[in-house]
Amino acid sequence: MKKSIVLIILAVVVAFTVSRPTLASQVINDANAVKQQANENLSATNRQISAIETEQADLQKKIDALDADLVALLVDIDVLEDEIVAKQEDIDQAGEDLADAETREEKQYEDMKLRIRYMYEHSKTNFFQNILESRSISELLNRVSYFNDVYDYDREQLVAYQEIVTEVALYKEQLEAEETDMEDLLDNYNQESEMLENMLAEKRATMDDYDAQLASAQSLAVQYKATIDEQNRIIAAEEARIAEEERKRREEEERRQREEAELQRLAAERAAAEEAERQRQEALARANETADAQQATYDDDTTYSDAVTATSEDAGLNPAYTTGVSGSSVCDYALSFVGNPYVWGGTSLTNGCDCSGFTQQIFKHFGISIPRTSYEQRSCGKTVSYSNAQPGDIICYSGHVALYLGGGRIVGAQSTRSGITTANATYRTILSVRRVL
């Protein structure tokens, strides 16, 4: 009876210990499933973060480039405004010179009229008297020549003053035209500045949107990481619990095996005792011993132990030509587009281009590649001193470039008002001369 009870208890214990790993395994499987999903979400979010950061980096480069262009443009605007002020001063001085020349012309004209009036009023007496008083033919000719010289001198002086007035007036008109071109260029600069500022505003708004997306993605990544950490903690705790239960199961199995061995030992002892008692009884019967012989009594109530336990730039520079392209050919080709329109940002020699687009397309026609913007063209090719500038060289100003024609003249996309035209090379401050031929 006691043996049966012990065996039942052992079976229950074994069954319980076998079912526990099954339940524990399900907890780990669930945790691993949650962890795997969180890992996939985290990987996707990290890829999203990487993509956003790449887009931010690209956008930041564009913003930096636009900032640099805007700064350079603002510098050019300041330089151009200073040059316009200087040009206005030249115009004012030319106006003063013109007024002075006109005054001198008027005075010469009045003096001439007085002399002519005097000579004609006294001509009948003085002229003939001087002739009659001549003592020889040579003296006569000299006196006649004197009167003619006075007329010629007055006429030449008047013509000279008139030429000065015309020259000063033309110079003043030229300065005013140059100032108008510079003002047009300033308008272009201001329009370009406004466009750059609008582009910067748009890109900074896009950057703000990227910042919001990045913050959201980073927040999700933190949540997914927290989920993974939590599932790792659950798995680690469950694995530790399983390991502990496994240790207890092994101890329980060892105890069970010891108890079974003890039960088997006790059963063997009981069988041996029973066999010995049977043999003794048979021996007593065979010996015909008397009925009152003391019969040994054996204790059948042997106590068993259950054994169950609980667990828990320089001057004079003149570099050599290297391309074999004639500067005159370049200039002739460039002059063929004079009169075509100026378009900011354009590169069409017929439909419209800006200053750097004009020079780039002219050289491209001859198979020569130069940068797109005036700022980049300012450092392309080789440095040339202005005193050694030759046809086909690039004349660089602040925010503007043109082709040198020779003789102090340039051709280029000047402004929206003038289009592609020629001008004096020194009408603005020259920053650099570049040779790419």
Side-chain angles (χ1 to χ4, degrees), residues 241-418:
R241 187 186 65 77
I242 291 173
E244 178 64 18
E245 289 190 352
E246 179 63 19
R247 182 187 65 79
K248 293 178 180 179
R249 187 193 65 77
R250 287 195 301 269
E251 290 179 352
E252 184 66 22
E253 181 65 20
E254 292 172 355
R255 187 194 64 78
R256 185 185 62 79
Q257 290 175 358
R258 289 194 302 268
E259 189 159 308
E260 285 181 351
E262 180 65 15
L263 289 174
Q264 291 173 1
R265 184 187 65 80
L266 292 174
E269 288 180 354
R270 179 181 291 275
E274 289 177 350
E275 181 62 24
E277 178 62 19
R278 184 184 63 80
Q279 291 177 0
R280 188 181 68 81
Q281 291 293 337
E282 289 178 353
L284 288 175
R286 284 191 303 266
N288 294 319
E289 295 178 352
T290 59
D292 57 353
Q294 183 179 3
Q295 185 177 351
T297 303
Y298 295 91
D299 185 4
D300 293 333
D301 296 326
T302 305
T303 303
Y304 297 90
S305 171
D306 58 14
V308 177
T309 58
T311 60
S312 64
E313 299 180 359
D314 298 328
L317 293 178
N318 190 18
Y321 291 83
T322 59
T323 63
V325 177
S326 167
S328 298
S329 298
V330 172
C331 292
D332 291 341
Y333 181 67
L335 287 170
S336 68
F337 299 101
V338 169
N340 288 342
Y342 174 103
V343 175
W344 180 79
T347 57
S348 173
L349 296 173
T350 55
N351 297 326
C353 60
D354 58 17
C355 61
S356 56
F358 176 80
T359 52
Q360 184 190 52
Q361 294 303 308
I362 292 298
F363 285 113
K364 182 179 180 180
H365 175 76
F366 293 92
I368 299 172
S369 177
I370 63 174
R372 172 64 183 85
T373 66
S374 59
Y375 314 110
E376 295 171 316
Q377 291 181 17
R378 195 185 298 170
S379 58
C380 71
K382 298 178 181 179
T383 303
V384 184
S385 63
Y386 178 69
S387 61
N388 291 320
Q390 297 295 323
D393 289 342
I394 301 175
I395 305 297
C396 303
Y397 309 88
S398 178
H400 185 63
V401 290
L403 282 176
Y404 189 60
L405 296 173
R409 301 291 291 174
I410 57 173
V411 60
Q414 194 72 8
S415 66
T416 53
R417 172 182 173 274
S418 301

